[in-house]
Amino acid sequence: MNLGDRNTKYFHAVSKVRKSKNRIKSILDNQGIEHFRDDAIGKVAEAYFINLFTTTQNTDLIDIISSIDCKVSDEMNRELILPISDQEVKDAVFSIGADRAPGFDGYTAAFYQQFWDDVGGDVCRMVRHFFETDTMDTTINRTQLCLISKITDSKQLVDYRPISLCTVNYKIISKVMVMRLKKCLSLIISDSQAAFVPGRNISDNVLVAHELLHSLKSKRECQHGYMAIKTDISKAYDRVEWNFLERVMTQLGFDSRWVKWIMECVRTVTYEILINGAPYGNVQPTRGIRQGDPLSPYLFLFCAEVLSQLLQKAESNNHIHGMKITSSCPSISHLLFADDSLFFCRATSSTCQKMAAIFQKYEEASGQMINYNKSSIIFGMKIPETKRQRLKRILRIEKVGGGGKYLGLPEQFGRKKVELFSYIVQRVKERTKSWSTKYLSPAGKEILIKSVAMALPVYSMNCFILPSTICDEINGVLTSFWWGTENEKRKIPWVAWERMSLPKREGGLGFKDLHLFNKALLAKQAWRILMNPTSLLARLYKGIYFPNSNFLQTQTRNQSSYGWRSIQEGKDLLQQGLRVRLGDGNNTKIWEDPWLPTLPPRPANGPVLNPDMKVSDLWKINQREWDPVIFEGVLNPEDQALAATLYLSKHAMMDTYEWAYTKNAQYTL
């Protein structure tokens, strides 16, 4: 009762359905024989994972490893191998989700957090023992594999995702290392990789990919000369070769002590497989990293960095050519998000042969395996069919893409945008149908609508403006769910949805207005482009849409992509609350730029004597102080009073922007 699981019909209905859905009823072995008993399924699973986690590496790594640049500095290494403090251990413990699935010992992080005063000293000694002796107690690293079905009615083990349930003791050690590693990760990993690197965002990759794929349809040179290759990597984490991982980290420049700690975490693992809640088998792996280990995503980045550097070296040697939309755009040969890979190159036989050779080289060394049946090629619109067939044979990829999805969002947009986004409405419908209205109180419905149903379209709304038809359809589905149905007919909605979307203090229920929330999310993207002009997305947009002006002055053009049009919607909203933070005052126009501290911010009013006059012209020569004569002669009394309240920095080099509606001057949703 205290934890919120009330003894209601709804709770029992949900838990019963969940248990039935997650149960593994039968499994087919290699010979196609179906096994039904748990112990028989356990034996099949043990044999499968022994095969999956057994190394097959027989290639010489010298050639591929020697091409990797050393990126880890001595200063980074000093930070990484400093003695572990008690505070670091405590921070690691409290950063683990309290109710995450426990390891074989049954303890969750909640136990450690609640009784930290009692067990904290022992935990700190345990963690320090590992880092001081470089050895891991094998009991700490004993791991159970929970099998999560990837499709409905799975019959083969290949259709299950093995999630590792590590012990909290191991996760603490792993988290301590992750917290240190994160500080230098952005300097080690190439900017074409967006996953897990602080400061980078999945939406950047979505928008960059969207822009490049749009150019394959709309830009003349791209239509005739370029192509994109989308690869699917099979069992990416499970096939990583330990020997390869160790050599890569050493070549990147990591200290031998740090590499030893990482490899001790990787090599001392043992697995048992959970079949319907009971553990079976004993697997001693010789390759693979765990899905569920806090370290694994970062270790996978090191492996993917090898592929990234191979492509960069080939591009610098003119063996391949990345896609360059305009002369002022960066050349982009690949975009990586963990194991989701998208490659861009010229549509020539020699380039495709080089790409195929790089893929093969990387596969042999790392243990990764490209699934050519699930991979696809997106050709420039005007590339002839005979050439397409030749390039497909070279790459061994038969499937032609273009209408699918990249990172869960549509790759390309035509005129039928409502159809492309209709999957969101369908998902909301399916989710609300599964909630039985007769078991739920109005308060329960409110929580589900706000936390689940309205969260479903958020990922899409982060990158693209949803057609108003889609937003209205979602609102209609939620209205129907809220008021309920009778004999499959909607009941009367006694209050308009617009009224219910008002904040509670204004008499509504606080449901989000999807149109406005969509614009607020896109304004966040515009803010990130404005604040990080050196990011890959910002540089690409600048090269295409505003090579000779700034982001805030841009307009939508006829050939603009749907992603750029969406960003423009967000930019228009952002400009309503942007204010200039004065630095040297040389770039801020008195009569045009919003520099006065009002809400909303505005430029100065009054008779415009010189339209190009800057704020720095109101200061004393070589000083950041108002010149009383010019100040009073140019600004009206009201603006003088406002300007006098501004803090004039003595050291800031340039004028920047801030958000006027928050105390920390950062845009938030």
Side-chain angles (χ1 to χ4, degrees):
M1 287 284 284
N2 289 340
L3 293 171
D5 286 336
R6 289 177 55 227
N7 190 20
T8 60
K9 279 185 181 180
Y10 182 72
F11 171 76
H12 285 286
V14 168
S15 57
K16 190 176 178 183
V17 169
R18 189 187 179 111
K19 189 176 179 182
S20 171
K21 191 177 173 184
N22 290 338
R23 185 170 178 78
I24 301 173
K25 298 175 183 69
S26 67
I27 283 290
L28 294 171
D29 63 15
N30 289 339
Q31 282 76 42
I33 300 167
E34 194 167 8
H35 299 266
F36 294 92
R37 283 176 37 225
D38 285 1
D39 57 342
I41 295 172
K43 283 179 183 173
V44 175
E46 183 182 24
Y48 172 80
F49 285 110
I50 286 173
N51 179 55
L52 180 61
F53 292 130
T54 299
T55 181
T56 56
Q57 193 178 64
N58 53 15
T59 186
D60 182 17
L61 297 174
I62 292 173
D63 183 34
I64 194 169
I65 296 296
S66 60
S67 65
I68 302 170
D69 295 332
C70 178
K71 291 191 172 185
V72 184
S73 66
D74 293 340
E75 180 59 35
M76 288 181 204
N77 274 323
R78 274 195 294 275
E79 292 286 327
L80 289 172
I81 60 171
L82 280 172
I84 305 297
S85 68
D86 288 358
Q87 187 59 44
E88 274 185 286
V89 178
K90 185 178 180 181
D91 291 343
V93 169
F94 282 84
S95 70
I96 302 170
D99 294 321
R100 289 290 176 89
F104 76 93
D105 57 10
Y107 285 102
T108 63
F111 169 80
Y112 290 78
Q113 292 165 6
Q114 189 166 342
F115 299 106
W116 181 252
D117 293 340
D118 301 302
V119 303
D122 288 337
V123 172
C124 291
R125 277 190 290 277
M126 180 262 309
V127 173
R128 273 198 299 272
H129 179 267
F130 165 74
F131 286 105
E132 288 165 6
T133 63
D134 305 343
T135 54
M136 171 81 73
D137 184 333
T138 52
T139 315
I140 289 175
N141 220 350
R142 185 176 151 198
T143 302
Q144 292 184 329
L145 290 177
C146 178
L147 304 181
I148 307 293
S149 179
K150 291 192 274 189
I151 59 172
T152 53
D153 198 27
S154 309
K155 288 291 183 185
Q156 295 179 310
L157 283 161
V158 74
D159 297 326
Y160 286 90
R161 184 175 284 111
I163 302 299
S164 299
L165 306 184
C166 306
T167 62
V168 175
N169 285 336
Y170 172 78
K171 281 185 181 175
I172 295 166
I173 292 170
S174 189
K175 279 276 188 183
V176 168
M177 297 174 81
V178 165
M179 281 155 56
R180 289 189 170 191
L181 187 59
K182 273 183 173 179
K183 294 173 186 173
C184 59
L185 207 60
S186 59
L187 302 172
I188 302 169
I189 305 300
S190 305
D191 63 359
S192 56
Q193 172 69 263
F196 309 115
V197 180
R200 299 182 195 172
N201 199 304
I202 188 171
S203 59
D204 285 8
N205 267 27
V206 170
L207 290 166
V208 170
H210 169 71
E211 204 61 48
L212 295 171
L213 295 173
H214 172 76
S215 298
L216 289 176
K217 282 184 10 182
S218 61
K219 294 273 192 296
R220 190 160 172 267
E221 190 182 331
C222 299
Q223 287 175 339
H224 288 89
Y226 286 97
M227 58 190 273
I229 307 162
K230 188 178 172 187
T231 59
D232 179 87
I233 295 179
S234 176
K235 302 288 182 188
Y237 278 33
D238 305 328
R239 294 180 185 277
V240 171
E241 293 287 352
W242 293 349
N243 187 28
F244 171 75
L245 176 62
E246 185 174 13
R247 296 280 293 277
V248 167
M249 286 194 293
T250 303
Q251 187 69 21
L252 282 169
F254 283 106
D255 188 277
S256 58
R257 190 99 190 273
W258 177 264
V259 175
K260 195 171 183 181
W261 289 340
I262 295 276
M263 296 316 297
E264 187 70 10
C265 289
V266 170
R267 286 194 169 114
T268 55
V269 65
T270 57
Y271 294 116
E272 49 191 11
I273 304 105
L274 288 177
I275 305 295
N276 300 325
Y280 291 91
N282 181 23
V283 180
Q284 306 278 343
T286 52
R287 73 170 177 187
I289 52 178
R290 290 167 283 181
Q291 295 183 61
D293 174 0
L295 261 176
S296 291
Y298 304 96
L299 302 185
F300 189 82
L301 292 189
F302 298 145
C303 299
E305 180 63 16
V306 175
L307 177 59
S308 194
Q309 289 204 26
L310 284 172
L311 290 160
Q312 286 167 11
K313 292 268 164 59
E315 194 173 1
S316 62
N317 294 330
N318 288 326
H319 293 150
I320 64 170
H321 297 86
M323 196 164 162
K324 200 172 171 73
I325 299 174
T326 68
S327 58
S328 49
C329 277
S331 173
I332 299 172
S333 61
H334 59 287
L335 289 173
L336 307 176
F337 189 86
D339 60 333
D340 266 294
S341 309
L342 197 55
F343 305 93
F344 300 91
C345 62
R346 283 190 185 160
T348 63
S349 298
S350 59
T351 300
C352 287
Q353 283 164 356
K354 188 63 184 176
M355 293 293 285
I358 289 171
F359 293 158
Q360 188 177 354
K361 202 174 180 182
Y362 177 66
E363 278 186 24
E364 289 172 357
S366 67
Q368 303 291 289
M369 196 166 74
I370 293 174
N371 186 338
Y372 289 98
N373 293 326
K374 287 188 178 178
S375 301
S376 61
I377 303 174
I378 304 163
F379 291 102
M381 216 172 159
K382 302 285 177 69
I383 293 173
E385 186 60 33
T386 51
K387 191 175 185 181
R388 293 185 183 205
Q389 294 301 330
R390 186 170 72 250
L391 300 180
K392 277 158 60 176
R393 278 196 300 274
I394 293 169
L395 290 164
R396 294 186 290 157
I397 298 172
E398 282 301 312
K399 197 172 160 191
V400 174
K405 291 184 179 180
Y406 173 64
L407 298 178
L409 290 176
E411 290 169 350
Q412 296 175 334
F413 290 89
R415 291 181 179 174
K416 298 179 179 178
K417 295 178 182 66
V418 173
E419 281 182 27
L420 280 171
F421 285 117
S422 60
Y423 71 93
I424 301 173
V425 180
Q426 194 57 39
R427 282 171 63 195
V428 175
K429 276 182 184 172
E430 286 169 5
R431 190 58 70 93
T432 52
K433 266 186 188 175
S434 70
W435 297 328
S436 180
T437 52
K438 62 189 173 204
Y439 292 143
L440 284 169
S441 66
K445 288 184 191 177
E446 180 196 340
I447 294 296
L448 284 174
I449 288 173
K450 286 181 178 176
S451 61
V452 182
M454 288 195 143
L456 290 173
V458 167
Y459 178 52
S460 304
M461 294 195 301
N462 251 312
C463 301
F464 302 111
I465 191 85
L466 293 190
S468 55
T469 309
I470 294 292
C471 293
D472 293 341
E473 279 189 45
I474 293 171
N475 287 342
V477 172
L478 297 180
T479 302
S480 178
F481 169 67
W482 175 261
W483 295 104
T485 55
E486 203 170 80
N487 301 325
E488 303 208 353
K489 285 187 178 180
R490 282 169 61 171
K491 289 186 178 176
I492 297 170
W494 293 106
V495 181
W497 187 257
E498 289 75 17
R499 173 79 187 278
M500 291 166 70
S501 295
L502 293 172
K504 287 189 175 180
R505 64 177 178 273
E506 294 176 25
L509 282 171
F511 295 133
K512 285 187 176 72
D513 181 316
L514 291 177
H515 297 281
L516 297 180
F517 188 50
N518 195 176
K519 287 187 179 181
L521 285 160
L522 292 167
K524 181 71 173 178
Q525 295 292 356
W527 171 260
R528 292 182 71 245
I529 291 167
L530 188 66
M531 292 293 111
N532 305 310
T534 57
S535 70
L536 184 62
L537 178 64
R539 285 185 287 131
L540 181 71
Y541 276 154
K542 183 166 181 62
I544 301 171
Y545 297 112
F546 54 101
N548 303 314
S549 62
N550 71 45
F551 174 59
L552 294 176
Q553 294 169 340
T554 55
Q555 299 292 326
T556 304
R557 302 200 299 252
N558 287 339
Q559 289 287 325
S560 300
S561 69
Y562 190 60
W564 177 249
R565 290 171 189 273
S566 300
I567 296 289
Q568 289 295 299
E569 295 267 359
K571 188 201 76 177
D572 293 343
L573 172 62
L574 184 70
Q575 283 182 298
Q576 295 175 34
L578 273 187
R579 180 165 58 217
V580 175
R581 177 181 282 177
L582 293 172
D584 59 11
N586 289 330
N587 296 319
T588 304
K589 293 185 177 181
I590 294 173
W591 313 109
E592 289 182 23
D593 297 318
W595 61 281
L596 290 173
T598 56
L599 287 178
R602 63 172 177 83
N605 295 324
V608 179
L609 307 172
N610 174 5
D612 294 323
M613 198 173 185
K614 308 289 195 301
V615 171
S616 57
D617 297 333
L618 301 176
W619 294 342
K620 294 176 183 176
I621 297 170
N622 297 328
Q623 292 183 50
R624 295 189 185 181
E625 291 178 21
W626 303 111
D627 184 321
V629 176
I630 304 172
F631 187 61
E632 291 169 15
V634 171
L635 301 182
N636 63 38
E638 182 192 351
D639 290 352
Q640 288 175 37
L642 289 168
T645 64
L646 288 170
Y647 168 72
L648 303 180
S649 169
K650 304 291 183 193
H651 309 291
M653 297 294 290
M654 293 175 63
D655 300 338
T656 56
Y657 285 98
E658 61 186 13
W659 182 248
Y661 289 90
T662 53
K663 285 183 180 177
N664 65 359
Q666 298 296 306
Y667 177 91
T668 72
L669 291 166

